Amino acid sequence: MIFGQKDNRIWPAGVLSVVLLTACHGSPVETTGDLVDSVEVVEDVPDDSLQLYSDEPEPESADMLFADFFYAFTTDSRYQLQRVAFPVKCSDGSDAPLTKADFMERNPFAPQEFYASIYDRESDMTVQSDTALNNVAVERILLGAQSTERYHFQRVQGKWMLMEYDTKPTGSTPQGSFLEFFGQFANDTVYQRESIVFPLRLVSEAEDDETEGVAELTEAEWPEFRDQMPLPTEVMTAIDYGQAALSENRKILLMEGASNGLFVKYKFDRTNGQWKLYEIDF
């Protein structure tokens, strides 16, 4: 049995495939991190972005948790344009404001299979369920270019609105040091292998949330396993809920499905200046 008991055996790659798909409720996930089909643009959207359509009242729950709002924001083009305060000003004044036409051309929030959050500790993840949040930033991290587009959302009259943006070198962001490492880790397979502690510990939580399955992945099994994992290589969309970014030596990269039940935690440690992936939980 894979779930519900401790299992220290080394699992064959084929078994690992079954485990991962089971953890994702049978839904394969994209592994490149590329955005999926673009949002269909609706042309007849009023210029006043705070004026919401009244033909279909919005459920109040859409603005309770930011994750729920963001799912609607990225999957419904009409709703998305209602929730942008055009023109979107650049928070540091270094770029021109984004007009509606600019935003539609850039299309930074197309639907996607999964998004990320970065934490120092697992206990910090409770911030995702905080209904009192009023400010959240969504980052589009261009891993190859080492550049980060940061979009600032605020609650306005109880509704989440995109208000500001800025673009900065990834190294200057709160998680910059780790993200610079991760950009190379995701795209350089040789460097990637050198940055993993083998055998790699795999932990799968049972459905009853009380027991877990534990296995070890060998270096030879890693390539096939990696190809099934939600591991972005070009663009990573990360949500910053305002969690602390104090640790310089430990990070948890949480990859969470937009609507498919995916929940994977990559755990990294840095020793003697070198980041290492030492565990994956799902």
Side-chain angles (χ1 to χ4, degrees):
M1 297 291 293
I2 294 171
F3 296 105
Q5 66 179 24
K6 298 288 184 178
D7 185 349
N8 294 314
R9 295 171 297 169
I10 298 175
W11 296 348
V15 176
L16 291 171
S17 301
V18 174
V19 173
L20 182 59
L21 291 176
T22 301
C24 297
H25 303 290
S27 301
V29 297
E30 297 294 329
T31 60
T32 62
D34 294 339
L35 301 179
V36 297
D37 296 340
S38 339
V39 173
E40 181 182 353
V41 174
V42 177
E43 299 292 343
D44 57 346
V45 178
D47 288 334
D48 182 2
S49 59
L50 290 174
Q51 179 63 46
L52 303 178
Y53 288 92
S54 57
D55 52 351
E56 293 183 7
E58 298 176 77
E60 293 184 5
S61 59
D63 285 293
M64 293 295 289
L65 294 177
F66 182 82
D68 293 339
F69 155 76
F70 191 63
Y71 175 74
F73 185 81
T74 57
T75 56
D76 185 332
S77 60
R78 183 172 176 173
Y79 178 79
Q80 181 181 100
L81 292 179
Q82 293 174 37
R83 292 307 188 92
V84 181
F86 294 113
V88 185
K89 66 179 181 180
C90 180
S91 59
D92 61 8
S94 59
D95 290 320
L98 285 177
T99 64
K100 186 187 299 183
D102 295 332
F103 186 85
M104 292 163 62
E105 181 179 1
R106 183 178 296 192
N107 193 18
F109 296 110
Q112 55 198 293
E113 293 290 336
F114 53 84
Y115 54 89
S117 298
I118 303 173
Y119 297 94
D120 291 356
R121 302 166 300 181
E122 293 200 51
S123 59
D124 294 339
M125 295 180 186
T126 57
V127 70
Q128 295 187 196
S129 302
D130 188 352
T131 58
L133 291 175
N134 289 312
N135 295 276
V136 173
V138 176
E139 298 177 329
R140 290 190 73 247
I141 303 161
L142 311 181
L143 295 170
Q146 292 294 328
S147 176
T148 295
E149 301 170 4
R150 191 170 169 90
Y151 295 87
H152 304 270
F153 290 81
Q154 296 177 20
R155 242 192 253 266
V156 178
Q157 299 176 359
K159 299 183 182 295
W160 285 108
M161 298 290 300
L162 172 58
M163 304 296 291
E164 299 180 343
Y165 83 101
D166 58 61
T167 303
K168 295 181 178 179
T170 297
S172 66
T173 63
Q175 304 284 8
S177 174
F178 172 74
L179 288 171
E180 287 181 330
F181 152 77
F182 185 79
Q184 186 174 358
F185 177 88
N187 289 283
D188 184 333
T189 56
V190 174
Y191 181 76
Q192 187 179 92
R193 284 174 179 261
E194 294 172 349
S195 302
I196 298 175
V197 177
F198 289 111
L200 178 61
R201 178 179 164 89
L202 303 178
V203 178
S204 59
E205 190 173 273
E207 293 182 0
D208 59 12
D209 294 329
E210 294 180 357
T211 55
E212 60 184 22
V214 180
E216 291 182 337
L217 186 73
T218 67
E219 185 172 358
E221 293 169 324
W222 168 250
E224 182 178 352
F225 184 75
R226 175 196 60 210
D227 291 344
Q228 301 171 63
M229 297 298 290
L231 198 65
T233 58
E234 297 178 5
V235 178
M236 180 165 69
T237 299
I239 301 180
D240 180 358
Y241 293 93
Q243 61 267 29
L246 303 176
S247 175
E248 297 181 355
N249 297 310
R250 175 160 292 195
K251 296 296 176 185
I252 301 171
L253 175 62
L254 171 62
M255 302 302 302
E256 193 166 6
S259 62
N260 55 21
L262 177 73
F263 194 86
V264 180
K265 291 180 283 189
Y266 299 91
K267 297 184 177 181
F268 294 86
D269 263 340
R270 182 162 63 173
T271 303
N272 297 324
Q274 176 62 53
W275 284 103
K276 296 274 190 177
L277 172 65
Y278 70 91
E279 181 177 303
I280 299 177
D281 296 1
F282 52 88

